[in-house]
Amino acid sequence: MLKIEKYGAVDIGSNAIRLLVMSVIEQEGKDTLFKKTSLVRVPIRLGAEVFLDGKISENSANRMVDAMTAFKLLMKTHNITRFRACATSAMREASNGRQVAEAIEKKSGLSINIIDGNDEAAIIASTDLKNLIQDDKVFLYVDVGGGSTELTVFANGKNVASKSFKLGTVRLLEDRVDESIWGEMELWIKKELKDYKHVSMIGSGGNINSIFKKSGKKLGKPLSYLYLSSYYELMKSLSYEERITELDMNPDRADVVIPATRIYLSAMKWSKAKNVYVPKIGLSDGIVKSLYNEKIAAELEVNS
């Protein structure tokens, strides 16, 4: 007997807003299945203005209201039973972030949780990585967003360290990253991995997913450092327009993909990882997993 519910998760990032609809399939005596039903992405680049002006513009706020209203209707048609929206770097740094969140809730009926970097890292780390995280291996998990990069070290099948850095693609494009941040991230990676050998990397985020898709690799197979660095040099040799026409990139991906790849390559270099695995997971997947874990915990409490 299967019990199937649909969950909704909204990730309000610095580069885009995403709605993930996930089918949660419970089967007696077996592991629960999480199957992606729909993913809608709206490229509202909040970080471009927040990292420059410190606030969300009226135009962007109105676009967010429209997007969240549309998401609400989509979730209604999908019969969503559980939902959560989380906002990251751009909204938490905007001087009017909370006011915009309140306005969105008033007009769309959907509340937004503005989370800090540590919460973001923890939610991402809660994603289902059991097919990759093996007890006898060490992984550096790198999630690159528009405003920040979340790092997590997995060793012996467990999360042993995590940290968020204000190093993101939109922030880099707008020249809003102090050079010292790169140094801080390098020191953290080397410190947390100094006792481990043979580290592999796990990369998540829209940019690494895009590169992986274009590589033609089968899901579960990693990208090598050599491949990623070669592709990085190819992208840098092309203009923004050429990346759209010759590499078939979306206009809102063709600029941020270069700083994103620089971050992944830097993390690989500092961790001495020769390969990066690219599962299709991110913050929205973590939100769904968190909602499910909360549901299970509540049921256990009721039955205890």
Side-chain angles (χ1 to χ4, degrees):
M1 184 74 179
L2 299 180
K3 181 181 179 183
I4 303 172
E5 284 187 303
K6 283 187 178 179
Y7 287 29
V10 173
D11 169 8
I12 302 174
S14 302
N15 191 42
I17 299 176
R18 302 169 186 82
L19 165 65
L20 172 66
V21 176
M22 185 91 81
S23 293
V24 179
I25 305 167
E26 293 181 308
Q27 40 187 354
E28 193 170 343
K30 295 183 180 180
D31 290 340
T32 298
L33 301 176
F34 296 84
K35 184 176 177 59
K36 294 182 183 182
T37 302
S38 174
L39 179 65
V40 181
R41 181 177 182 274
V42 183
I44 302 176
R45 192 168 285 185
L46 296 178
E49 54 197 28
V50 171
F51 303 145
L52 282 174
D53 304 324
K55 65 179 182 178
I56 298 168
S57 69
E58 183 178 353
N59 178 56
S60 291
N62 289 335
R63 291 179 70 198
M64 289 178 70
V65 169
D66 289 342
M68 294 297 282
T69 302
F71 286 174
K72 183 179 182 180
L73 290 171
L74 283 171
M75 287 191 288
K76 182 180 179 182
T77 59
H78 276 286
N79 292 319
I80 296 295
T81 57
R82 298 175 191 275
F83 160 79
R84 180 168 295 150
C86 291
T88 57
S89 296
M91 282 198 77
R92 69 175 170 248
E93 291 183 32
S95 60
N96 60 341
R98 295 203 175 277
Q99 294 95 306
V100 170
E102 289 169 4
I104 290 171
E105 182 172 7
K106 184 176 180 180
K107 294 178 181 178
S108 72
L110 300 178
S111 63
I112 295 172
N113 299 286
I114 301 177
I115 60 176
D116 65 25
N118 292 328
D119 286 339
E120 185 177 353
I123 292 171
I124 292 169
S126 73
T127 52
D128 193 353
L129 291 169
K130 64 183 178 183
N131 292 329
L132 276 178
I133 304 300
Q134 300 165 19
D135 288 349
D136 59 343
K137 292 188 177 181
V138 179
F139 293 92
L140 174 64
Y141 185 15
V142 182
D143 181 81
V144 177
S148 63
T149 292
E150 272 61 52
L151 303 179
T152 303
V153 175
F154 289 97
N156 302 316
K158 297 179 180 179
N159 174 351
V160 296
S162 63
K163 190 172 177 63
S164 176
F165 292 87
K166 287 186 177 181
L167 185 65
T169 58
V170 178
R171 206 186 289 273
L172 283 166
L173 281 179
E174 300 298 338
D175 196 24
R176 285 296 182 269
V177 175
D178 192 290
E179 198 63 30
S180 64
I181 298 293
W182 288 100
E184 289 174 17
M185 192 164 90
E186 178 181 2
L187 286 173
W188 188 88
I189 289 174
K190 290 180 175 179
K191 174 178 174 290
E192 297 299 334
L193 294 174
K194 64 179 172 40
D195 295 328
Y196 304 109
K197 292 182 179 179
H198 309 300
V199 175
S200 290
M201 204 170 92
I202 299 171
S204 68
N207 291 291
I208 196 75
N209 286 341
S210 174
I211 293 171
F212 183 83
K213 185 177 180 181
K214 293 181 188 304
S215 75
K217 291 267 189 181
K218 290 184 178 180
L219 194 63
K221 298 294 184 181
L223 299 177
S224 68
Y225 180 87
L226 179 61
Y227 176 86
L228 196 58
S229 58
S230 297
Y231 195 73
Y232 178 57
E233 293 303 324
L234 170 63
M235 290 189 293
K236 287 200 301 178
S237 72
L238 301 175
S239 67
Y240 170 73
E241 290 78 12
E242 288 170 333
R243 291 194 291 275
I244 295 172
T245 57
E246 295 185 26
L247 297 182
D248 195 30
M249 290 186 175
N250 289 328
D252 64 303
R253 177 75 64 210
D255 53 354
V256 293
V257 69
I258 288 182
T261 309
R262 180 187 171 193
I263 295 172
Y264 289 116
L265 284 170
S266 297
M268 291 184 81
K269 178 182 176 182
W270 298 330
S271 64
K272 298 181 181 179
K274 295 179 180 178
N275 295 297
V276 55
Y277 292 87
V278 188
K280 288 187 175 180
I281 53 175
L283 180 64
S284 51
D285 300 83
I287 293 171
V288 169
K289 195 69 182 294
S290 297
L291 286 169
Y292 179 72
N293 289 339
E294 288 170 13
K295 174 205 168 189
I296 296 301
E299 289 176 351
L300 289 172
E301 190 174 316
V302 169
N303 295 324
S304 62

